Amino acid sequence: MIEQHSLDLIKTLISFDTTSFKSNLNLIKFIENYLNQNKIKSELVYDEAKNKANLFATIGPNSMGGIVLSGHTDVVPVTNQKWDSDPFQLIEKDKKLYGRGASDMKSFIALVLSRVPKIIEKKLSKPIHLAFSYDEEIGCVGVHGLLDLIEKKSIKPEFCIVGEPTSMEVVIGHKGKNAYSVQVDGMSCHSGQAPLGVNSINYAAKLIAYIEELNKEKSINGPFDLDYEIPYTTLHTGLIKGGTILNIVPNLCEFEFEVRNLVQDNPLELVNKIKDYANQKLINEMHKVSSKTGINFNEKIKYPALDISADTAPVKKIKELLNNHKHKKVVYGTEGGLFNSRFNIPTIVCGPGSIDQAHKPNEYISIEQINKCGEFLDNLIDSY
């Protein structure tokens, strides 16, 4: 059985459609009002358009240390997904809760909120900070304003828990990500006169082939971290478009690529290699035909890798509270890398649900995972 208060909060949070391209303010205002009812003051950090906001709140003594419980409020789209029910209406079936964000990651936020009365009652020796962000799903965009606020407060927490779905396993590392869009500007002409033009698709293909060469090099030479499913830094091209019809040499081709790096690798060194190849080899060739051609890079996403020693005290503490002494590293990214790199505090990713169910139609979380997370939070609160 799941606690009714927790279930009600999960149901309410899922009912807010906080898909990343939409506002999250209704959800944030709900959390703000909920905390106000418990006499906890929140601070909101808005985006420039005042259409989205992060929320930060502190429960307990106004002192240094303590922990941060972090989660993102946005969810991925349901567009073109075939659901058996309304994605934004919680459905309980076969000991599972279905809904967009059930696993990633509104259940964690709801469980934290459900423990607020208990946290207040316990009269903590150290503070517990709540940090809820927007636009994590499109590249950890919103959390930067939240981190600015935390830095301004000089809180210096002992550690941070990011409640992404890990099946309540302790995650001490994930890869970083740098993603770019590339625009290749060529010069059109009739395909019968192809050598007189600059084929943007051909030059995009050459650059993509070079990116794949770097990927193969990493798979052979490393560095390697065997805690990962894919134990080396990867480079990947995932989107390309260009051309109009076959008998016109295309003057525009666009593609997107990413670098998912181990903490031992500097992704900018790889990106600079790609840019140097474009500038020194490809653009020089293109300019022999027309100086108006070129290749331009635009950074889309950037967040750092996370890598925490398994020997740190917070990791040992979380394992003890979970009665599970294993840990792992994951291929997907989180805001954990930003918390860790910004404040140099141990940051652990641990939350209910599985990434295998996230982002899919009929996303769900098992009630077993809900209860396991609830028990963990109770033990964590008691330890303070």
Side-chain angles (χ1 to χ4, degrees):
M1 288 290 291
I2 183 174
E3 294 177 346
Q4 189 62 45
H5 186 41
S6 298
L7 181 62
D8 289 343
L9 284 167
I10 296 171
K11 182 177 182 179
T12 299
L13 295 188
I14 286 177
S15 71
F16 295 110
D17 182 355
T18 53
T19 306
S20 297
F21 62 82
K22 298 182 179 181
S23 173
N24 74 333
L25 289 185
N26 288 337
L27 181 147
I28 287 293
K29 289 295 183 180
F30 169 81
I31 296 176
E32 182 184 36
N33 290 335
Y34 175 84
L35 293 174
N36 280 339
Q37 291 170 10
N38 287 278
K39 299 182 180 179
I40 301 298
K41 182 182 177 181
S42 305
E43 294 183 66
L44 304 187
V45 182
Y46 291 88
D47 67 347
E48 289 185 6
K50 304 291 185 182
N51 193 44
K52 300 180 181 182
N54 303 299
L55 181 145
F56 183 81
T58 297
I59 308 173
N62 185 21
S63 62
M64 304 289 279
I67 62 174
V68 176
L69 300 178
S70 168
H72 64 80
T73 62
D74 60 315
V75 296
V76 296
V78 297
T79 309
N80 297 325
Q81 291 188 344
K82 293 183 178 179
W83 284 68
D84 296 332
S85 59
D86 183 345
F88 300 104
Q89 181 178 341
L90 187 70
I91 299 294
E92 183 176 352
K93 182 181 179 182
D94 299 328
K95 298 182 179 180
K96 298 172 183 175
L97 302 179
Y98 291 84
R100 175 56 87 222
S103 182
D104 186 15
M105 56 178 297
K106 289 181 175 179
S107 291
F108 175 78
I109 295 175
L111 287 166
V112 170
L113 293 175
S114 73
R115 266 60 186 178
V116 167
K118 179 177 181 177
I119 297 172
I120 297 169
E121 178 187 330
K122 286 289 181 179
K123 296 182 180 179
L124 304 177
S125 59
K126 295 181 181 180
I128 292 179
H129 309 285
L130 310 183
F132 304 140
S133 67
Y134 67 87
D135 282 0
E136 186 271 350
E137 295 288 7
I138 58 173
C140 301
V141 174
V143 72
H144 292 279
L146 188 57
L147 297 176
D148 290 342
L149 175 65
I150 294 173
E151 186 172 41
K152 185 178 179 180
K153 287 178 169 292
S154 300
I155 292 169
K156 296 184 179 177
E158 295 170 14
F159 67 99
C160 173
I161 297 174
V162 178
E164 291 276 7
T166 69
S167 300
M168 292 307 298
E169 295 179 322
V170 176
V171 169
I172 61 172
H174 66 66
K175 294 181 179 181
K177 180 177 177 178
N178 288 62
Y180 289 80
S181 61
V182 182
Q183 179 173 310
V184 181
D185 293 302
M187 187 177 74
S188 291
C189 66
H190 191 284
S191 61
Q193 298 174 308
L196 303 180
V198 177
N199 190 315
S200 60
I201 292 179
N202 286 356
Y203 278 97
K206 291 178 182 180
L207 189 53
I208 291 169
Y210 179 71
I211 292 170
E212 179 57 21
E213 283 181 23
L214 293 178
N215 181 58
K216 288 182 179 178
E217 181 182 311
K218 282 294 167 187
S219 71
I220 296 170
N221 299 324
F224 299 98
D225 185 337
L226 298 181
D227 282 341
Y228 283 100
E229 176 187 12
I230 307 297
Y232 51 87
T233 293
T234 59
L235 296 92
H236 157 78
T237 301
L239 182 69
I240 186 169
K241 59 181 179 179
T244 51
I245 58 176
L246 183 59
N247 63 356
I248 298 177
V249 171
N251 70 331
L252 178 65
C253 185
E254 298 171 302
F255 68 92
E256 295 183 11
F257 76 93
E258 67 175 21
V259 180
R260 288 187 180 262
N261 66 287
L262 300 179
V263 72
Q264 298 94 323
D265 264 324
N266 182 350
L268 294 183
E269 289 182 2
L270 291 166
V271 172
N272 286 335
K273 282 186 177 182
I274 296 167
K275 289 181 177 180
D276 287 344
Y277 181 81
N279 291 328
Q280 296 170 15
K281 180 172 177 59
L282 301 183
I283 294 177
N284 282 341
E285 289 182 6
M286 296 164 73
H287 281 182
K288 290 178 182 178
V289 179
S290 172
S291 61
K292 295 181 180 179
T293 58
I295 301 175
N296 295 295
F297 293 78
N298 178 48
E299 183 180 89
K300 293 177 65 70
I301 296 172
K302 179 181 179 181
Y303 57 75
L306 172 68
D307 194 77
I308 304 298
S309 171
D311 295 326
T312 60
V315 173
K316 290 180 178 179
K317 177 174 182 173
I318 298 304
K319 287 181 177 180
E320 183 179 345
L321 293 175
L322 287 167
N323 194 26
N324 183 353
H325 298 286
K326 296 180 180 180
H327 63 263
K328 65 180 182 180
K329 297 178 181 178
V330 294
V331 294
Y332 58 86
T334 76
E335 295 170 339
L338 289 162
F339 274 95
N340 178 239
S341 63
R342 184 77 173 264
F343 304 120
N344 195 29
I345 60 170
T347 301
I348 299 153
V349 185
C350 183
S354 170
I355 199 67
D356 293 336
Q357 279 87 54
H359 295 199
K360 295 179 179 179
N362 301 321
E363 177 182 347
Y364 71 87
I365 188 170
S366 70
I367 290 177
E368 179 187 15
Q369 281 286 302
I370 295 289
N371 291 334
K372 191 171 184 178
C373 182
E375 181 181 357
F376 164 71
L377 290 172
D378 290 338
N379 292 337
L380 180 66
I381 295 163
D382 289 341
S383 74
Y384 274 82

